[in-house]
Amino acid sequence: MAVLAILVAASFLAAATAASPVPAIYVLGDSLADVGNNNHLPTILRADFPHNGIDYPGKKATGRFSNGKNSVDFLADNLGLASPPPYLALSSSSANYVNGVNFASGGAGVSNDTNKGQCIVFDKQIDYFSSVSASLAQSLGQAQASAHLSKSLFAITIGSNDIIHYARSASSAAGDSLSPQPFVDALIQTLTAQLQRLYDLGARKLVFLGTGPVGCCPSLRELSATKNCSAVANDASVRYNNAAASLLSGMAARHSDMRYALFDSSAALLQFINQPAKYGFAEAKAACCGLGDMNAKIGCTPLSFYCSNRTSHIFWDFYHPTETTARMLTSTAFDGSAPLIFPINIRQLSAL
């Protein structure tokens, strides 16, 4: 049976390698990348109910925090691969990890304290990948498993939930004395150890999707009487993305076999928000699905209202982008250029 398992895994690996320069995608992060892990948790942070998925094939609510596909789905589409399945939906006895796995969990942050008990925290996601890496080594042999992982893409989107929590705390504090820099420094210190651990486990091609202008999501606009973007949150996002860029640059300098592409989600999405009509949007502030002012008081539930034309909205619910927004952002990350995606784009990273 052990020999048969090795032969089956090797055949899957050969087929994947023949079809694409990237044999698999391994995904870690938050709700922007979750494809159903939270469905398997006792958490309120779920999206496995209508009206989520209204534009997904079969109009199915899969656990994606979207009206349709998310950025990971479009990344896989661009690479000619199937979107990696949620880790918690796989049976360890029959899982085919060579085709990629998605560990992302809605609510996760860089800090394990962010939404603790409601999600798979980022460090736990890395623990799960460690188990997958060990399983690959057992089924393929260490040398072939290492080669497979070195060619695979590791897509990471993390940090938004930490910043949202920080901004909400700052808005409820007296005065404007809270500085974001110590907060960001602490996040980056934690992130440094986390990304190094991924490298140690075999990750060599990293796609890091920086945090967007989270202060402009409908939920944080609601903190302002004028419904403006939260300057505190957006400032923290810029600082975080800049620090992440320095972190990845330093890692690549230390590890000659590591390559990365960093997407400045904040700058890219702000283009849509600041000039919506130019990019085909009619609504840049309000959520498509929700309840209350700007559909931002309550999230997207079966009782919520939703817009008839989802392609006209930047935001699906009070935190997450629509399928259209996700597709456009992923397209920029895949084939775009600096300063939005650097030092190379995802297509170039994939070809290495």
Side-chain angles (χ1 to χ4, degrees), residues 304-347:
S304 300
F305 298 107
Y306 66 92
C307 60
S308 59
N309 183 6
R310 272 78 70 187
T311 63
S312 69
H313 279 60
I314 291 177
F315 291 99
W316 164 239
D317 61 18
F318 53 11
Y319 287 124
H320 305 97
T322 57
E323 178 184 68
T324 296
T325 305
R327 183 182 67 249
M328 292 170 64
L329 290 173
T330 306
S331 178
T332 300
F334 200 84
D335 283 313
S337 57
L340 295 182
I341 181 76
F342 60 93
I344 54 178
N345 62 35
I346 298 176
R347 184 184 297 277

Side-chain angles (χ1 to χ4, degrees), residues 3-350:
V3 173
L4 178 60
I6 292 173
L7 290 175
V8 170
S11 66
F12 274 119
L13 179 58
T17 303
S20 170
V22 172
I25 309 171
Y26 295 91
V27 182
L28 302 99
D30 54 30
S31 57
L32 295 171
D34 191 347
V35 294
N37 276 308
N38 279 22
N39 298 356
H40 303 273
L41 299 177
T43 177
I44 60 171
L45 304 177
R46 301 167 72 114
D48 55 339
F49 48 78
H51 302 290
N52 297 298
I54 191 171
D55 297 308
Y56 194 80
K59 297 186 180 297
K60 184 180 180 182
T62 60
R64 289 164 172 81
F65 293 78
S66 171
N67 59 302
K69 294 182 176 181
N70 65 21
S71 59
V72 173
D73 298 315
F74 290 118
L75 174 60
D77 287 347
N78 285 336
L79 290 169
L81 299 173
S83 190
Y87 176 75
L88 294 185
L90 300 176
S91 166
S92 59
S93 61
S94 60
N96 176 30
Y97 298 132
V98 295
N99 286 343
V101 187
N102 189 321
F103 305 93
S105 175
V110 173
S111 169
N112 291 332
D113 290 332
T114 299
N115 291 316
K116 187 175 182 179
Q118 292 293 320
C119 63
I120 312 171
V121 299
F122 195 42
D123 277 329
K124 185 63 176 178
Q125 293 180 38
I126 300 173
D127 288 343
Y128 284 149
F129 172 66
S130 179
S131 297
V132 166
S133 179
S135 178
L136 288 171
Q138 185 176 21
S139 60
L140 300 175
Q142 186 60 61
Q144 194 171 2
S146 296
H148 168 72
L149 292 176
S150 72
K151 296 173 185 175
S152 299
L153 281 190
F154 286 76
I156 302 163
T157 174
I158 199 77
S160 294
N161 288 307
D162 304 280
I163 293 172
I164 288 169
H165 281 218
Y166 170 78
R168 287 190 174 280
S169 297
S171 70
S172 62
D176 298 317
S177 59
L178 292 177
S179 170
Q181 197 57 52
F183 160 74
V184 170
D185 289 344
L187 283 186
I188 293 299
Q189 183 177 8
T190 302
L191 184 65
T192 299
Q194 291 164 333
L195 296 188
Q196 181 61 47
R197 188 176 173 213
L198 282 173
Y199 175 87
D200 294 340
L201 290 168
R204 294 296 182 268
K205 293 183 179 181
L206 272 62
V207 175
F208 192 88
L209 305 175
T211 57
V214 294
C216 293
C217 69
S219 181
L220 289 191
R221 281 186 186 269
E222 275 295 294
L223 298 178
S224 163
T226 57
K227 310 306 178 189
N228 290 328
C229 299
S230 165
V232 170
N234 282 357
D235 177 50
S237 284
V238 170
R239 291 171 187 260
Y240 174 81
N241 290 342
N242 288 341
S246 296
L247 164 57
L248 288 164
S249 177
M251 283 188 69
R254 291 193 305 274
H255 305 298
S256 60
D257 58 346
M258 188 194 120
R259 298 289 186 272
Y260 71 93
L262 189 151
F263 185 50
D264 189 345
S265 301
S266 183
L269 187 52
L270 274 176
Q271 290 184 337
F272 300 170
I273 292 170
N274 292 335
Q275 295 181 287
K278 178 180 177 180
Y279 295 95
F281 294 105
E283 179 54 66
K285 296 180 179 180
C288 170
C289 183
L291 287 171
D293 189 28
M294 300 193 333
N295 274 344
K297 289 291 188 183
I298 297 176
C300 187
T301 73
L303 300 178
S304 300
F305 298 107
Y306 66 92
C307 60
S308 59
N309 183 6
R310 272 78 70 187
T311 63
S312 69
H313 279 60
I314 291 177
F315 291 99
W316 164 239
D317 61 18
F318 53 11
Y319 287 124
H320 305 97
T322 57
E323 178 184 68
T324 296
T325 305
R327 183 182 67 249
M328 292 170 64
L329 290 173
T330 306
S331 178
T332 300
F334 200 84
D335 283 313
S337 57
L340 295 182
I341 181 76
F342 60 93
I344 54 178
N345 62 35
I346 298 176
R347 184 184 297 277
Q348 293 165 330
L349 178 65
S350 302

